[in-house]
């Protein structure tokens, strides 16, 4: 069996209480042993002096665009972008064309991911057929083919009865809600606030999210269903989720890197690069999101990686699509903007990107650095700066505000199930 | 390339100061005299190229800018109107890159999205003039309104302006609020509460709920066009209800001071914002605004492309 011995790496796994320089032996696809001065016959040795080893990151929310929008991204480019961002597992959202709303289409994603063979790509199936919000898709058949959760992401399931039945029927499978009552925000572009009025840009009020979160939490109460709230952006949503957790409901939530880093102030540029849904909100919301992540009300960070072609993002604010590219810059930008600035501790950040998503979605043997767990790891030089350049990104798109900017934390290796990927040779 | 008082572009009246505006108004007054001469053409901008980028229907603003450029002997070309390749979904930044390669000096941009002139301005060394961007600003219209008011009252200080109607979607109202508030004018806003955001009080305006409370002390009434059918949300119940509370009816017309100026950015929905009895009163001002509009735009072209070189 394949043996890799990682020497002298700074192993950092808050959940496992490890924060020191150790050796780590991988045998096959699993972590065999962690300790000092390990010596193993026949193992491939890699010296990780000066490098930091985290559990492989797990992204519960990414748009890989295949099938239908391969000019933005496909499973191959998305998989490369994932491992280049330290992600070993990525959940692919079903709002493709056609949408992933049948077992055959789920199977297609699984097959394409295995052909590419880099990160673990897990499909999310649509809740409703054609994502139309009316008839339930074949949830159990999709689950049999490998769907790990269900979502009509991009649209809220407006019909309360349909959402109720989905939560009941899916049982332990998470129903991921894109909580947005769009009737409150037709043609909205940015956070509705004094600033949106100052800039003359149509707003999306916090309430368009909070109303939807509140209804879905109540339906989780009614059904006992498993609800996961995607991309929480507002302080009010946090309070609702906190109440749900205190009431013992099976509700979890995620926040994106961009909602943790940016505020509505960037809209002063009128630049569609910052047009994202839900919108970047106020500093008060951003601070509350960081605090909720720290306290655990928000369980994890998920990227909402949303690649769009340059010609689309160069359209005007009305026509340009919503979304920000994330996979390859997510960790480095959070590390640079939040950890280095003292706003967030590294322990919370790493757990929120690895251990927590594995736990809340029940991915056994993942998200930790522990003997017997899968050897899914990401290995970084935290002190090395790198420039985000179009030609250095593995994604097909480059719609990140960090383009042309320098970030700390450069990825070196990503290991997926014992398979070593040297990111510089991707 | 042209700069005027440190600005490469004229994107709005929010970010400029009182002196900036006064200089434009003063220069426009000088050009007004030129417009009264038999030969109205000046050689000032000979060799300069002005590009009209209009991506929204416009007759009056476009012809006003075009005439202003021609009076100053600039060459003008037009991109984005009918007959060009610009279609929905094409990147305007790409279009501009192409036009830039033709070595042009100034763009006049109108677009239905807020901030489009701002975006384009960051992608060119040429000057960009905002001729109306979505629901954000329409600075040249506000400047010609301000020039008209200054001519009539001799000053903008302490004059009282009542703007009525769909303030929320009116870039003309917004630019007027930004501009006039810098001169200490008193700005009142009125209209259905859904169309008069309370946030505008932060911008230097005061909201009045009943226009009849203030009508007899107002110097300028600006009635905005109401297009209920084009609003994407149910902002107010009916034209009937709107008329009752916010129209300048014959009765309200009689309550205005004789010297009160009645303005409308046009085109007027007669019987909705204004009763037809107001026609002569509005028409006189409109003609004056049209003339002022050419002078204001000449002043802007001149100051950004020539005047600036003396700084």
């Amino acid at each position: 069996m394949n043996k890799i011995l990682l020497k002298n790496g700074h192993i950092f796994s808050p959940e496992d209480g490890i924060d020191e320089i150790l050796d780590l032996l991988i045998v096959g696809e699993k972590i065999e042993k962690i300790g000092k001065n390990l010596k193993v016959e026949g193992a491939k040795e890699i010296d990780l002096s000066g490098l930091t080893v985290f559990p492989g990151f797990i992204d519960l929310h990414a748009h890989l665009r295949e099938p239908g929008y391969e000019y933005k991204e496909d499973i191959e480019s998305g998989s490369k972008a994932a491992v280049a961002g330290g992600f070993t597992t990525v959940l692919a959202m079903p709002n493709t064309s056609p949408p992933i709303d049948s077992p055959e289409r789920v199977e297609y994603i699984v097959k394409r991911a295995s052909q590419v063979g880099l990160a673990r790509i897990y499909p999310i199936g649509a809740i409703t057929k054609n994502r139309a919000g009316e008839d339930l898709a074949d949830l159990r058949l999709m689950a049999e083919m490998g769907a790990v959760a269900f979502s009509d992401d991009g649209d809220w399931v407006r019909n309360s009865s349909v959402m109720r039945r989905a939560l009941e029927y899916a049982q332990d499978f998470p129903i991921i809600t894109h909580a947005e009552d769009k009737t409150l925000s037709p043609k909205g572009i940015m956070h509705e606030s004094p600033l949106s009025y100052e800039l003359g840009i149509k707003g999306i009020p916090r309430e368009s999210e909070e109303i939807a979160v509140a209804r879905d939490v109540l339906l989780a109460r009614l059904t006992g269903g498993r609800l996961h709230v995607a991309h929480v952006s507002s302080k009010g949503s946090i309070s609702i989720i906190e109440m749900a957790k205190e009431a013992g409901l099976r509700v979890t939530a995620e926040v994106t890197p961009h909602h943790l880093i940016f505020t509505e102030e960037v809209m002063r540029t009128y630049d569609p690069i910052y047009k994202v849904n839900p919108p970047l909100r106020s500093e008060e919301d951003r601070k509350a999101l960081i605090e909720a992540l720290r306290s655990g009300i928000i369980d994890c960070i998920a990227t909402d990686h949303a690649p769009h072609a340059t010609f689309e993002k160069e359209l005007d604010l009305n026509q340009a699509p919503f979304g920000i590219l994330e996979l390859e810059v997510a960790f480095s930008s959070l590390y640079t903007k939040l950890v280095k600035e003292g706003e967030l501790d590294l322990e919370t950040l790493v757990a929120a990107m690895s251990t927590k998503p594995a736990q809340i979605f029940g991915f056994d043997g993942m998200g930790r650095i522990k003997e017997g767990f899968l050897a899914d790891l990401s290995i970084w030089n935290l002190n090395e700066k790198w420039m985000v350049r179009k030609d250095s990104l593995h994604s097909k798109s480059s719609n990140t505000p960090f383009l042309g900017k320098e970030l700390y934390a450069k990825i070196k290796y990503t290991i997926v199930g014992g398979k070593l990927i040297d990111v510089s040779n991707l | 390339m042209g700069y005027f008082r440190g600005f490469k572009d004229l994107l709005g009246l929010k970010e400029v100061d009182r002196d900036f505006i006064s200089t434009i108004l003063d220069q426009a007054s000088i050009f007004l005299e030129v417009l009264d001469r038999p030969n109205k053409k000046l050689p000032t901008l000979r060799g300069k190229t002005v590009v009209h980028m209009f991506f929204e229907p416009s007759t009056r603003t476009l012809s006003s800018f075009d005439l202003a450029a021609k009076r100053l002997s600039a060459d003008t070309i037009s991109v984005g109107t009918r007959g060009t390749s610009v279609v929905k979904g094409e990147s305007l930044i790409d279009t501009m890159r192409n036009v830039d390669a033709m070595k042009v000096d100034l763009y006049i941009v109108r677009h239905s999205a807020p901030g489009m002139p701002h975006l384009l301005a960051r992608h060119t060394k040429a000057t960009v003039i905002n001729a109306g961007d979505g629901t954000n600003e329409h600075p040249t219209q506000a400047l010609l309104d301000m020039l008209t008011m200054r001519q009539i009252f001799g000053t903008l200080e302490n004059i009282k302006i009542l703007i009525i109607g769909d303030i929320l979607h009116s870039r003309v109202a917004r630019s007027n609020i930004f501009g006039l508030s810098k001169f200490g004018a008193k700005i009142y806003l009125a209209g259905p509460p859904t169309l008069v955001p309370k946030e505008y009080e932060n911008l230097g305006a005061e909201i009045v709920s009943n226009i009849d409370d203030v009508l007899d002390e107002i110097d300028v009434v600006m009635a905005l066009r109401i297009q209920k059918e084009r609003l994407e949300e149910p902002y107010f119940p009916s034209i009937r209800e709107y008329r009752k509370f916010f129209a300048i009816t014959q009765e309200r017309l009689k309550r205005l001071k004789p010297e009160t100026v009645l303005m409308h950015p046009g085109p007027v929905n007669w019987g909705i914002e204004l009763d037809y009895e107001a026609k002569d009163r509005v028409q006189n001002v409109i003609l004056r605004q049209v003339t002022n509009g050419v002078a204001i735009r000449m002043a802007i072209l001149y100051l950004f492309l020539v005047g600036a070189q003396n700084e």
Side-chain angles (χ1 to χ4, degrees):
Chain A
M1 245 195 299
N2 171 44
K3 288 184 188 174
I4 302 173
L5 181 58
L6 304 177
K7 297 289 290 179
N8 307 314
H10 180 167
I11 312 241
F12 189 88
S13 178
E15 182 75 4
D16 300 296
I18 309 178
D19 179 9
E20 62 177 309
I21 294 174
L22 291 168
D23 297 346
L24 187 152
L25 175 66
I26 297 165
V27 176
E29 61 175 10
K30 290 188 174 165
I31 298 169
E32 176 80 13
K33 197 166 174 52
I34 303 164
K36 289 201 166 121
N37 301 315
L38 297 185
K39 287 194 174 59
V40 181
E41 284 280 313
K44 175 183 172 165
E45 280 196 20
I46 301 171
D47 182 35
L48 300 185
S49 296
L51 304 183
T52 306
V53 183
F54 297 134
F57 298 148
I58 296 169
D59 188 4
L60 298 183
H61 190 147
H63 298 273
L64 301 186
R65 303 300 190 205
E66 185 178 342
Y69 303 105
E70 287 87 350
Y71 67 97
K72 298 173 196 258
E73 193 82 288
D74 59 24
I75 288 173
E76 182 175 358
S77 64
S79 297
K80 284 183 180 169
V83 293
F87 290 91
T88 50
T89 300
V90 171
L91 272 54
M93 276 293 177
N95 60 336
T96 48
S97 179
I100 307 306
D101 63 353
S102 70
E104 291 75 18
R105 289 173 186 164
V106 169
E107 190 180 17
Y108 170 80
I109 303 292
V110 172
K111 195 179 99 196
R112 286 284 295 124
S114 100
Q115 284 168 351
V116 172
L118 287 167
R120 304 172 198 278
I121 306 293
Y122 292 166
I124 298 170
I127 299 171
T128 63
K129 291 196 174 110
N130 213 22
R131 301 177 53 254
E134 288 159 14
D135 302 310
L136 288 183
D138 291 339
L139 304 184
R140 276 185 80 165
L141 291 176
M142 286 195 284
E144 277 188 2
M145 282 298 163
V148 297
F150 301 100
S151 180
D152 278 1
D153 187 55
D155 289 295
W156 187 46
V157 178
R158 273 179 68 184
N159 184 316
S160 300
S161 167
V162 173
M163 188 63 169
R164 172 198 175 158
R165 299 308 175 194
L167 283 161
E168 281 172 345
Y169 192 84
Q171 295 186 313
D172 290 342
F173 284 94
I175 297 288
I176 305 173
T177 181
H178 169 111
E180 181 192 12
D181 182 347
K182 288 186 184 177
T183 62
L184 265 181
S185 48
K187 296 188 184 164
I189 287 168
M190 70 172 287
H191 174 51
E192 181 172 334
S193 69
L195 183 63
S196 69
Y197 288 103
E198 183 193 324
L199 297 176
I201 301 176
K202 174 113 182 169
I204 301 173
R206 293 186 181 91
E207 286 75 7
S208 80
E209 173 176 306
E210 293 160 1
I211 286 169
V213 172
R215 186 209 66 175
D216 289 338
V217 161
L218 292 173
L219 290 177
R221 186 177 73 180
L222 174 66
T223 59
R226 171 74 184 88
L227 178 74
H228 179 73
V229 184
H231 43 55
V232 173
S233 73
S234 96
K235 200 178 164 179
S237 300
I238 297 169
S239 310
I240 299 165
I241 292 161
E242 184 177 20
M243 285 193 289
K245 291 192 163 187
E246 281 171 0
L249 305 182
R250 295 202 296 161
V251 173
T252 55
E254 69 189 32
V255 60
T256 75
H258 40 274
H259 289 100
L260 292 169
I261 292 172
F262 297 108
T263 69
E264 57 171 349
E265 282 295 317
V266 295
M267 293 309 295
R268 289 187 183 279
T269 62
Y270 292 94
D271 193 336
I273 196 86
Y274 298 109
K275 182 178 172 184
V276 64
N277 190 14
L280 303 167
R281 299 202 185 270
S282 72
E283 178 66 4
E284 192 187 352
D285 293 289
R286 191 187 72 88
K287 288 252 191 291
L289 291 169
I290 293 177
E291 186 46 42
L293 188 65
R294 218 184 269 128
S295 70
I297 297 170
I298 291 178
D299 298 270
C300 67
I301 294 170
T303 68
D304 198 3
H305 174 75
H308 289 294
T310 305
F311 74 86
E312 297 170 305
K313 277 302 209 179
E314 281 193 354
L315 293 172
D316 60 80
L317 264 185
N318 290 339
Q319 286 190 70
F322 289 102
I324 288 180
L325 193 83
E326 278 289 0
L327 285 172
E328 285 171 85
V329 296
F331 177 77
S332 299
S333 61
L334 288 163
Y335 182 75
T336 306
K337 297 294 171 190
L338 299 185
V339 176
K340 293 283 267 184
E341 299 293 322
E343 282 203 276
L344 186 67
D345 55 286
L346 187 61
E347 287 79 1
T348 301
L349 175 59
V350 169
M353 291 182 73
S354 57
T355 317
K356 299 297 291 290
Q359 287 171 348
I360 64 173
F361 272 39
F363 298 151
D364 292 337
M366 292 166 64
R368 294 173 65 174
I369 302 182
K370 189 177 174 178
E371 291 167 8
F373 271 59
L374 285 171
D376 286 4
L377 303 167
S378 66
I379 299 168
W380 302 78
N381 184 341
L382 296 181
N383 298 318
E384 186 177 339
K385 281 198 204 174
W386 62 287
M387 169 82 81
V388 184
R389 286 180 295 114
K390 206 167 182 157
D391 57 8
S392 68
L393 293 171
H394 298 84
S395 174
K396 287 189 180 179
S397 298
S398 56
N399 53 308
T400 160
F402 292 108
L403 200 65
K405 307 251 162 66
E406 270 199 326
L407 295 174
Y408 282 98
K410 182 147 173 63
I411 184 94
K412 294 294 169 188
Y413 304 100
T414 299
I415 299 177
V416 184
K419 185 182 159 190
L420 179 80
I421 300 155
D422 181 343
V423 175
S424 61
N425 290 333
L426 252 188
Chain B
M1 286 299 166
Y3 272 82
F4 171 52
R5 287 177 173 264
F7 286 88
K8 177 172 85 69
D9 314 289
L10 177 58
L11 301 176
L13 296 189
K14 187 174 83 184
E15 50 272 340
V16 303
D17 65 13
R18 180 177 169 148
D19 280 353
F20 183 104
I21 295 172
S22 292
T23 309
I24 293 174
L25 299 184
D26 294 345
Q27 184 64 46
S29 304
I30 295 169
F31 282 133
L32 274 177
E33 292 166 24
V34 175
L35 290 173
D36 277 335
R37 290 184 203 158
N39 182 358
K40 299 175 178 63
K41 203 164 171 106
L42 295 172
T44 322
L45 296 186
R46 192 177 289 154
K48 302 282 187 189
T49 307
V50 168
V51 184
H52 300 298
M53 289 183 101
F54 278 60
F55 302 100
E56 221 184 31
S58 161
T59 324
R60 291 169 308 155
T61 306
L62 175 59
S63 51
S64 177
F65 265 114
D66 199 47
L67 193 59
K70 291 190 161 98
R71 291 263 192 264
L72 294 171
S73 305
D75 298 316
T76 64
I77 58 168
S78 200
V79 183
T81 45
R82 208 174 311 176
T84 66
S85 66
V86 176
V87 289
K88 190 175 162 71
E90 180 171 321
S91 159
L92 296 191
I93 294 168
D94 275 345
T95 306
M96 170 174 265
R97 284 180 188 126
N98 281 323
V99 179
D100 249 7
M102 300 180 202
K103 310 291 176 195
V104 302
D105 301 285
L106 184 143
Y107 291 91
I108 297 159
V109 179
R110 162 165 295 192
H111 199 282
S112 58
M116 200 62 214
H118 306 61
L119 275 182
L120 290 172
R122 282 202 292 277
H123 285 86
T124 177
K125 288 187 172 128
T127 289
V128 173
I129 306 295
N130 183 356
D133 63 326
T135 49
N136 182 30
E137 284 222 45
H138 192 350
T140 61
Q141 173 73 38
L143 287 168
L144 73 89
D145 290 340
M146 291 166 74
L147 179 61
T148 307
M149 293 178 212
R150 198 177 77 166
Q151 286 165 347
I152 294 170
F153 298 103
T155 176
L156 296 173
E157 265 171 69
N158 298 320
I159 62 167
K160 293 180 175 172
I161 298 122
L162 172 63
I163 309 179
I164 309 174
D166 183 358
I167 315 284
L168 179 65
H169 297 97
S170 172
R171 54 196 179 203
V172 175
R174 289 169 52 83
S175 287
N176 266 298
I177 295 168
F178 288 131
L180 286 163
S181 60
K182 297 188 160 94
F183 287 84
K186 184 91 187 109
I187 304 157
Y188 300 101
L189 306 177
T194 47
L195 294 172
V196 185
K198 56 186 183 310
E199 286 79 2
Y200 279 30
E201 295 200 322
N202 305 331
L203 308 182
E206 184 182 322
I207 296 171
V208 291
S209 47
N210 186 350
I211 62 172
D212 295 314
D213 291 347
V214 293
L215 266 190
D216 48 11
E217 48 178 291
I218 292 297
D219 299 306
V220 178
V221 173
M222 189 181 289
L224 303 175
R225 185 173 165 80
I226 280 285
Q227 289 171 289
K228 184 162 166 55
E229 69 285 357
R230 285 188 57 189
L231 297 175
E232 72 279 12
E233 290 180 55
Y235 286 102
F236 64 93
S238 67
I239 293 294
R240 178 184 176 206
E241 191 158 313
Y242 182 86
R243 224 189 102 75
K244 160 90 175 161
F245 297 103
F246 302 110
I248 299 298
T249 56
Q250 331 180 19
E251 297 75 28
R252 288 198 175 105
L253 210 50
K254 288 178 196 141
R255 296 200 37 223
L256 295 176
K257 293 188 288 186
E259 65 272 26
T260 298
V261 175
L262 193 48
M263 285 181 165
H264 191 295
V268 180
N269 294 305
W270 295 109
I272 300 180
E273 305 100 52
L274 299 176
D275 273 3
Y276 201 68
E277 283 71 12
K279 183 161 196 264
D280 289 346
R281 206 152 161 182
V282 178
Q283 202 60 37
N284 285 336
V285 187
I286 286 179
L287 296 179
R288 192 165 187 160
Q289 286 172 290
V290 171
T291 309
N292 285 341
V294 177
I296 281 288
R297 287 162 182 132
M298 287 171 76
I300 290 165
L301 296 176
Y302 170 76
L303 289 168
F304 273 90
L305 290 177
V306 179
Q309 289 173 1
N310 303 326
E311 278 191 15

